[in-house]
């Protein structure tokens, strides 16, 4: 024992200087800068690694090479008409600490996809899934003779149609270098829970894993202190721990926070648990875990309770791209988008259909957004990337994650959960999305599909109730032909793996054929049943399966969807499709490369859906106007009443025209042209006026989906909608604009941080002589930047915009365009000059420091 103590003291003495240097750069250091990159033609793994990279491009991470390319019809609309390919990254770096004294890891938050990693020519491993984080131990492969190390990453995205949406390509999320003592807390080595909460105190439980890589047993002190958002220590606990050589163990700690500040959607208070390892009076490690004090409960027939309060999830589904930045989304881009969503009433996000970045969840923690964290879009069998449902293409470029699922699913799920389970925003784990499509017998059991023609869709299914009783469905399933894999068995494995890592949150899944899933055992292995576009089945499900808790995990996003939540206490949420436009799912729709966003478009501009959802979800008086040419609206005018009627009815008895659309925010048409005027409001009645003349009232209660409509022959002037009780009147207007004569340029920030990460969004808008936004004229605008910033790209938000994102010029849509600039590490004044033919130039100035 004495020999061991002397050995450790000697080691600590030799390593003191090295560890001090490591502490100066913190436990985690930014590893995003100074990478080399090249595209290659060959999909074979390279030999003679590391490679000669003198002629490669210099890039900084996160990096998405697909979004750098031009849109082309020769590519595939399923992934947004952008290419994939094969890329190789290399980074040269000095050994950060003596590997005899420290352990060094590299942590990748996401690489898309089929990535293989080497250090100094020695293989570290691989990670096929593009959405799971992965880290590698570099320690025994680092040079100790002064030579530079070279890390090599080969990324094979030659199967560029391997998803049903735009994925991006490359090292598209952050990379960190982690340097720790031989005695340390591993990456993702803590789990913080708050099992008991009251207004007076909250119990905080910690499970802290400790790794001892010393060649001897150690006895040390493990101390955790809790720090609030003001930097004050509000709790502290110390444990004496013994750990054998080359072993790990999990230390349990529990302490109280008195008068806790709870985390919720309105006041997202956060705490830090800082855990220290002290050996013989020296601090060897410090690990920070951000967490929130909050209590979540889900009860069948009652819904969701956050901190004891019944809470409805006003949710949106999102895909992971950020428009012009592709999949390499700066935190500031997500911050702008999420804040705009929240202003429309959104309080919940579903990550469709894969785990998002750590930064994204950090933002949800900070902004107070509830998250349903989804793992996979396919299990045992593949979906068709172009056509959805079951696979009907067998070409190389559309092979996806199913090829890796059997081998990698547990590892991918585990790494994702270990990274994400301390985020207070995460309140549900979703194991999968619409998986039933790939098990064909589920369709046939419904009675809506013909087994001899599986490729044909059946539109009657969407508006139709279950044809059979639960017992009959169960019998039909038992008698059906099944494949090698059974869905309920695979789902049980995933659910069990999830609960082993976290039993504080429920497991859900998004069911597209719930009436069958409820009788096969699939629904039994999860805690919450997610319904996808099957709201009509909810009363049937609640009658026959009253103990099942239901969430609407995917839906078009109409008043009828939200009404299902309001009318059924056990249905506590919707996640409408989709909150923000995203690239992909546009097979054979060229030049449309996107087109699903209801609240924000691809550039993050508000669409009319922002007004619509705000009128439903925000408890404040709301009134908004939109217009469409009657000929393009899907409506006709009733000859007797003059009211707007749908051109055709659907199975619900009302026309698809009644769905809320992205109508125009202008009053500029041809004189006499019939125009459909739409008003989204939460007022009981609304009056419409044209140039001061009343055009009558509409009642919300009699307006399908709470959208009030008039048909108005166009006359120039001012269109006004007004409502409200005496003394609380509200009105909104659209006024005919004149020809545009100038540009306006605005920025969401006047100052940037000179860290090479901060971003500013610059919006250009055409305006008429009195300053009104002109949305009916277009022009090409050009951006010229001087000073310490770079242009990330340009966009106008239109689904059919196929101009290059990485350009300094863009033709506007609705008279506007977006440019995103990013700071560098230099301080100074940034000047952005915006020019367009026949318009005076405009310059905006932003300080970076």
């Amino acid at each position: 024992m004495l020999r061991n103590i002397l050995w450790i003291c000697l080691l600590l003495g030799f390593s003191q200087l090295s560890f001090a240097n490591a502490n100066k750069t913190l436990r985690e250091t930014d590893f995003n800068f100074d990478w080399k990159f090249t595209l290659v033609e060959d999909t074979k793994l390279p030999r003679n690694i590391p490679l000669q990279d003198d002629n490669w491009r210099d890039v900084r991470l996160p990096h998405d090479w697909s979004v750098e390319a031009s849109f082309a019809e020769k590519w595939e609309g399923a992934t947004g008409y952008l290419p994939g390919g094969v890329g190789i990254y290399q980074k040269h770096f000095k050994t950060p600490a003596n590997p005899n004294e420290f352990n060094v890891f590299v942590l990748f938050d996401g690489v898309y996809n089929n990535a293989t990693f080497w250090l100094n020519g020695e293989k570290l491993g691989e990670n096929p899934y593009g959405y799971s984080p992965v880290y590698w131990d570099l320690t025994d492969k680092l040079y100790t003779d002064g030579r530079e190390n070279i890390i090599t990453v080969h990324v094979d995205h030659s199967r560029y149609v391997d998803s049903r949406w735009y994925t991006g390509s490359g090292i598209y999320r952050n990379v960190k270098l982690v340097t720790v003592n031989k005695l340390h807390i591993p990456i993702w080595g803590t789990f913080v829970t708050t099992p008991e909460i009251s207004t007076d105190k909250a119990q905080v439980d910690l499970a802290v894993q400790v790794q001892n890589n010393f060649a001897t047993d150690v006895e040390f002190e493990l101390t955790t202190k809790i720090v609030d958002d003001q930097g004050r220590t509000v709790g502290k606990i110390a444990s004496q721990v013994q750990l054998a050589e080359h072993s790990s163990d999990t230390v349990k700690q529990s302490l109280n926070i008195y008068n806790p500040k709870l985390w919720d959607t309105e006041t997202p208070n956060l705490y830090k648990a800082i855990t220290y390892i002290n050996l013989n009076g020296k601090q060897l490690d410090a690990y920070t875990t951000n967490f929130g004090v909050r209590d979540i409960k889900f009860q069948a027939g009652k819904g969701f309770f956050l901190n004891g309060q019944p809470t409805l999830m006003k949710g949106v589904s999102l895909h992971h791209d950020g428009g012009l930045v592709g999949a390499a989304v700066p935190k500031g881009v997500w911050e702008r988008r999420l804040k705009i969503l929240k202003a429309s009433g959104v309080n919940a996000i579903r990550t469709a259909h894969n785990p998002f970045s750590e930064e994204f969840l950090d933002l949800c923690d900070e902004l107070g957004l509830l998250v349903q964290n989804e793992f996979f879009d396919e299990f045992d069998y593949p979906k068709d990337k172009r056509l959805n449902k079951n696979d009907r293409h067998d070409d190389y470029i559309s092979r996806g994650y199913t090829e890796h699922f059997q081998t990698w699913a547990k590892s991918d799920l585990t790494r994702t959960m270990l990274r994400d389970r301390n985020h207070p925003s995460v309140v549900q784990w979703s194991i999968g999305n619409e998986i039933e499509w790939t098990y064909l017998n589920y369709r046939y059991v419904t009675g809506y599909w013909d087994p001899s023609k599986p490729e044909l869709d059946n539109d009657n299914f969407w508006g139709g109730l279950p044809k059979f009783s639960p017992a009959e469905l169960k019998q039909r399933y038992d008698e059906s032909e099944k494949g090698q894999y059974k869905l309920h068995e695979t789902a049980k494995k995933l659910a069990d793996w999830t609960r082993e890592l976290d039993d504080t949150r429920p497991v859900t899944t998004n069911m597209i054929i719930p009436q069958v899933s409820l009788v096969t055992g699939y629904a039994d292995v999860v805690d919450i049943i997610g319904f996808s576009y099957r709201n009509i089945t909810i009363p049937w499900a609640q009658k026959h399966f009253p103990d099942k808790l239901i969430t609407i995990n995917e839906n078009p996003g109409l008043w009828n969807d939200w009404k299902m939540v309001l009318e059924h206490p056990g249905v506590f949420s919707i996640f409408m499709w989709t909150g923000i436009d995203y690239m992909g799912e546009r097979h054979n729709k060229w030049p449309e490369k996107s087109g699903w966003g209801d609240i924000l478009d691809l550039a993050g501009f508000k669409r009319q859906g922002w007004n619509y959802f705000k009128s439903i979800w925000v408890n404040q008086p709301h009134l908004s106007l939109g217009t469409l040419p009657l000929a393009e609206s899907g409506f006709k005018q009733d000859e007797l009443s003059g009211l707007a009627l749908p051109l055709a009815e659907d199975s619900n008895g009302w026309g698809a025209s009644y769905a809320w659309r992205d109508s125009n925010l202008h009053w500029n048409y041809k004189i006499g042209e019939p125009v459909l005027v739409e008003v989204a409001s939460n007022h009981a009645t609304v009056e419409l006026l044209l140039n001061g003349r009343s055009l009558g009232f509409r009642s919300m209660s009699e307006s399908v989906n709470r959208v009030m409509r008039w048909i108005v022959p166009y006359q120039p002037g001012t269109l006004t909608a007004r409502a409200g009780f005496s003394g609380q009147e509200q009105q909104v207007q659209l006024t005919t604009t004149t020809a545009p004569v100038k540009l306006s340029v605005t920025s969401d920030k006047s100052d940037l941080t000179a860290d090479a990460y901060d971003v500013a969004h610059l919006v250009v808008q055409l305006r008429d002589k009195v300053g009104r936004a002109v949305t009916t004229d277009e022009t090409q605008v050009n951006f010229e930047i001087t000073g310490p910033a770079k242009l990330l790209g340009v966009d106008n938000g239109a689904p059919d915009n196929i101009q290059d994102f990485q350009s300094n010029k863009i033709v506007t849509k609705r008279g506007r365009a977006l440019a995103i600039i990013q700071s560098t590490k230099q301080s100074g004044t940034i000047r952005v000059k915006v020019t367009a033919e026949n318009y005076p130039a405009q310059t905006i100035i932003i300080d970076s420091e």
Side-chain angles (χ1 to χ4, degrees):
M1 182 65 181
L2 178 61
R3 179 181 61 84
N4 290 342
I5 294 174
L6 290 173
W7 185 88
I8 294 173
C9 291
L10 184 64
L11 178 59
L12 287 172
F14 284 140
S15 65
Q16 185 173 0
L17 179 59
S18 298
F19 187 69
N21 290 336
N23 266 345
K24 287 180 181 178
T25 56
L26 304 178
R27 174 188 163 106
E28 294 182 350
T29 55
D30 190 328
F31 212 53
N32 286 334
F33 293 86
D34 303 319
W35 286 77
K36 294 281 191 176
F37 170 74
T38 189
L39 286 170
V40 297
E41 296 294 330
D42 197 344
T43 60
K44 294 181 181 178
L45 294 179
R47 298 181 178 180
N48 302 319
I49 297 171
L51 303 171
Q52 186 61 246
D53 58 18
D54 291 347
N55 297 322
W56 295 12
R57 285 175 50 196
D58 293 320
V59 298
R60 53 88 35 116
L61 310 179
H63 174 241
D64 173 5
W65 79 67
S66 290
V67 82
E68 299 173 344
S70 297
F71 296 98
E73 190 174 6
K74 68 179 180 179
W75 305 121
E76 172 53 56
T79 45
Y81 297 105
L82 287 171
V86 180
I88 305 177
Y89 297 83
Q90 287 196 158
K91 180 178 172 66
H92 301 242
F93 66 102
K94 295 181 179 179
T95 299
N98 187 340
N100 294 321
E101 303 167 5
F102 298 94
N103 286 99
V104 180
F105 303 86
V106 62
L107 169 60
F108 293 85
D109 200 41
V111 183
Y112 206 90
N113 63 348
N114 297 302
T116 309
F117 306 82
W118 297 264
L119 179 65
N120 298 329
E122 295 189 56
K123 186 175 179 180
L124 297 168
E126 59 188 25
N127 193 44
Y129 196 35
Y131 300 111
S132 58
V134 65
Y135 66 86
W136 306 105
D137 189 345
L138 308 181
T139 309
D140 62 354
K141 298 177 180 60
L142 290 166
Y143 289 136
T144 58
D145 56 6
R147 284 182 292 169
E148 280 193 326
N149 302 280
I150 301 177
I151 190 167
T152 307
V153 184
H154 180 272
V155 185
D156 182 0
H157 194 204
S158 55
R159 306 165 189 81
Y160 69 94
V161 196
D162 60 355
S163 287
R164 300 180 298 110
W165 56 85
Y166 177 78
T167 64
S169 303
I171 308 177
Y172 70 105
R173 293 181 183 170
N174 289 319
V175 183
K176 299 174 183 178
L177 196 69
V178 181
T179 304
V180 293
N181 195 276
K182 293 295 181 182
L183 181 65
H184 63 271
I185 299 167
I187 294 169
W188 313 320
T190 62
F191 186 27
V192 181
T193 57
T194 53
E196 294 184 17
I197 299 173
S198 69
T199 56
D200 297 327
K201 69 177 181 179
Q203 178 182 326
V204 179
D205 288 351
L206 297 98
V208 182
Q209 185 184 359
V210 183
Q211 177 70 43
N212 176 23
N213 286 336
F214 284 129
T216 184
D217 301 351
V218 292
E219 184 174 348
F220 59 94
E221 183 179 78
L222 187 76
T223 301
T224 298
K225 69 176 183 179
I226 308 297
V227 179
D228 68 9
D229 56 0
Q230 302 299 312
R232 296 172 298 204
T233 298
V234 295
K236 189 173 183 179
I237 188 172
S239 306
Q240 297 299 316
V241 184
Q242 291 183 330
L243 194 57
E245 62 181 274
H246 297 298
S247 68
S248 66
D249 196 9
T250 299
V251 180
K252 301 291 183 67
Q253 295 182 320
S254 184
L255 67 164
N256 293 325
I257 299 175
Y258 293 94
N259 302 312
K261 294 184 284 186
L262 303 186
W263 185 96
D264 61 28
T265 58
E266 298 302 320
T267 54
N269 298 300
L270 292 172
Y271 289 88
K272 295 180 185 294
I274 307 175
T275 306
Y276 304 91
I277 294 177
N278 293 288
L279 178 64
N280 297 331
K282 294 186 180 296
Q283 180 184 307
L284 301 191
D285 198 9
Y287 190 101
T288 299
T289 308
N290 296 324
F291 72 99
V293 176
R294 57 104 174 100
D295 174 71
I296 58 172
K297 283 187 174 62
F298 297 83
Q299 293 180 269
K302 295 183 179 180
F304 169 59
F305 296 83
L306 178 60
N307 300 327
Q309 299 300 312
T311 302
L312 301 179
M313 292 189 190
K314 305 167 183 177
V316 295
S317 296
L318 296 181
H319 272 305
H320 77 144
D321 79 76
L324 67 90
V325 294
V329 189
K331 187 175 181 180
V333 172
W334 273 126
E335 183 176 14
R336 168 181 176 253
R337 291 170 170 230
L338 293 179
K339 284 182 175 178
I340 298 173
L341 285 179
K342 193 162 188 189
S344 72
V346 172
N347 68 3
I349 305 291
R350 172 174 171 247
T351 65
H353 302 291
N354 48 262
F356 279 27
S357 69
E358 182 179 41
E359 277 191 328
F360 181 89
L361 294 181
D362 288 342
L363 271 172
C364 292
D365 292 344
E366 296 162 12
L367 297 176
L369 288 164
L370 305 164
V371 175
Q372 182 187 110
N373 198 332
E374 196 156 78
F375 297 141
F376 303 117
D377 187 52
E378 43 188 16
F379 293 173
D380 304 305
Y381 303 109
K383 290 181 180 175
D384 195 289
K385 309 309 184 296
R386 300 173 176 89
L387 304 175
N388 201 358
K389 302 184 177 69
N390 58 297
D391 197 18
R392 283 151 283 171
H393 292 89
D394 61 358
D395 50 343
Y396 170 83
I397 59 174
S398 65
R399 299 306 89 198
Y401 183 67
T402 294
E403 295 191 346
H404 307 288
F405 178 80
Q406 305 301 331
T407 303
W408 286 90
K410 184 174 184 180
S411 175
D412 290 320
L413 182 151
T414 298
R415 284 178 274 122
T416 297
M417 287 190 64
L418 290 177
R419 184 198 65 177
D420 295 349
R421 62 183 180 173
N422 288 314
H423 288 277
S425 57
V426 176
V427 294
Q428 296 175 347
W429 304 110
S430 173
I431 58 175
N433 169 63
E434 296 185 359
I435 303 297
E436 298 104 314
W437 287 138
T438 64
Y439 300 79
L440 286 173
N441 61 320
Y442 273 66
R443 272 199 262 172
Y444 306 150
V445 169
T446 66
Y448 278 103
W449 274 273
D450 184 349
S452 66
K453 300 176 182 178
E455 72 281 359
L456 297 181
D457 202 351
N458 191 317
D459 291 336
N460 293 329
F461 171 74
W462 303 108
L465 289 167
K467 290 185 173 184
F468 307 104
S469 70
E472 291 170 321
L473 287 168
K474 179 67 165 62
Q475 181 179 352
R476 288 173 64 85
Y477 173 77
D478 290 341
E479 295 171 353
S480 68
E481 183 179 347
K482 303 169 186 65
Q484 177 183 0
Y485 301 105
K486 297 179 179 62
L487 177 52
H488 68 279
E489 294 176 352
T490 299
K492 184 179 187 306
K493 287 193 299 185
L494 295 170
D496 287 347
W497 295 337
T498 302
R499 294 187 184 103
E500 286 173 8
L501 293 166
D502 178 20
D503 61 1
T504 70
R505 299 172 175 90
V507 179
T508 185
T509 187
N510 192 33
M511 295 179 179
I512 192 66
I513 312 178
Q515 64 258 49
V516 179
S517 296
L518 280 161
V519 302
T520 63
Y522 183 27
D524 294 332
V525 303
V526 296
D527 305 304
I528 300 175
I529 304 167
F531 276 53
S532 190
Y533 304 102
R534 298 297 293 129
N535 291 0
I536 195 170
T537 310
I538 288 176
W540 179 90
Q542 291 204 318
K543 174 184 176 182
H544 294 290
F545 304 91
D547 294 333
K548 298 295 185 184
L549 188 61
I550 295 173
T551 175
I552 303 175
N553 271 357
E554 203 165 312
N555 58 277
L558 301 171
W559 167 248
N560 280 347
D561 297 309
W562 187 241
K563 190 170 67 169
M564 188 67 68
V565 174
L566 299 180
E567 292 178 351
H568 295 82
V571 183
F572 58 87
S573 66
I574 66 170
F575 291 92
M576 55 80 57
W577 193 265
T578 174
I580 307 176
D581 200 4
Y582 61 93
M583 291 187 285
E585 289 201 78
R586 310 310 286 167
H587 175 62
N588 282 344
K589 290 183 169 56
W590 177 264
E592 288 186 11
K593 47 93 172 62
S594 62
W596 290 96
D598 274 1
I599 298 181
L600 304 181
D601 68 18
L602 200 63
F605 294 139
K606 294 177 185 177
R607 305 186 76 186
Q608 279 283 28
W610 187 89
N611 285 313
Y612 181 61
F613 282 96
K614 187 175 182 181
S615 74
I616 294 172
W617 280 344
V618 178
N619 189 26
Q620 296 173 355
H622 179 84
L623 200 58
S624 55
L625 269 171
T627 64
L628 282 170
L630 182 62
E632 301 173 11
S633 70
F635 284 88
K636 62 184 178 182
Q637 189 167 26
D638 182 76
E639 293 183 0
L640 294 177
S641 68
L643 298 176
L645 300 177
L647 290 175
E649 288 190 348
D650 62 18
S651 57
N652 290 317
W654 46 271
S657 310
Y658 279 126
W660 181 246
R661 281 80 39 80
D662 187 28
S663 54
N664 299 320
L665 289 169
H666 69 72
W667 187 240
N668 287 69
Y669 296 95
K670 296 178 181 178
I671 293 178
E673 178 182 5
V675 178
L676 180 75
V677 178
E678 297 183 317
V679 172
S681 180
N682 47 23
H683 291 282
T685 58
V686 174
E687 182 183 16
L688 187 71
L689 303 95
L690 178 59
N691 296 327
R693 180 174 63 89
S694 178
L695 303 179
F697 292 78
R698 296 288 184 269
S699 167
M700 181 177 67
S701 62
E702 296 180 358
S703 299
V704 176
N705 277 325
R706 297 196 354 167
V707 179
M708 307 175 205
R709 294 180 171 89
W710 290 257
I711 295 176
V712 181
Y714 174 73
Q715 292 294 327
T718 299
L719 192 68
T720 303
R722 68 184 184 190
F725 295 105
S726 177
Q728 299 175 325
E729 294 89 353
Q730 184 180 16
Q731 70 174 31
V732 293
Q733 295 181 330
L734 292 176
T735 300
T736 305
T737 57
T738 55
V741 297
K742 58 186 176 181
L743 309 172
S744 68
V745 185
T746 56
S747 172
D748 63 340
K749 292 181 181 177
S750 58
D751 301 280
L752 290 178
T753 301
D755 60 1
Y757 288 104
D758 204 6
V759 295
H761 296 77
L762 310 181
V763 177
V764 178
Q765 177 68 61
L766 297 179
R767 297 192 178 274
D768 67 9
K769 61 184 179 181
V770 296
R772 294 173 296 209
V774 177
T775 63
T776 53
D777 282 63
E778 313 300 348
T779 191
Q780 178 177 293
V781 293
N782 306 279
F783 298 87
E784 179 184 335
I785 300 174
T786 57
K790 69 174 183 177
L791 179 65
L792 293 184
V794 292
D795 190 18
N796 61 24
D800 60 353
N801 171 38
I802 51 173
Q803 303 170 81
D804 286 358
F805 282 150
Q806 298 206 350
S807 173
N808 68 339
K809 60 185 179 182
I810 184 80
V811 175
T812 61
K813 181 68 174 180
R814 296 186 172 182
R816 67 186 173 188
L818 170 74
I820 302 178
I821 64 171
Q822 189 171 53
S823 67
T824 67
K825 290 186 175 181
Q826 283 71 47
S827 300
T829 300
I830 303 166
R831 288 180 171 82
V832 183
K833 183 179 181 181
V834 183
T835 58
E837 189 175 356
N838 300 322
Y839 295 93
Q842 301 292 321
T843 299
I844 191 166
I845 297 175
I846 298 172
D847 292 323
S848 182
E849 57 185 26

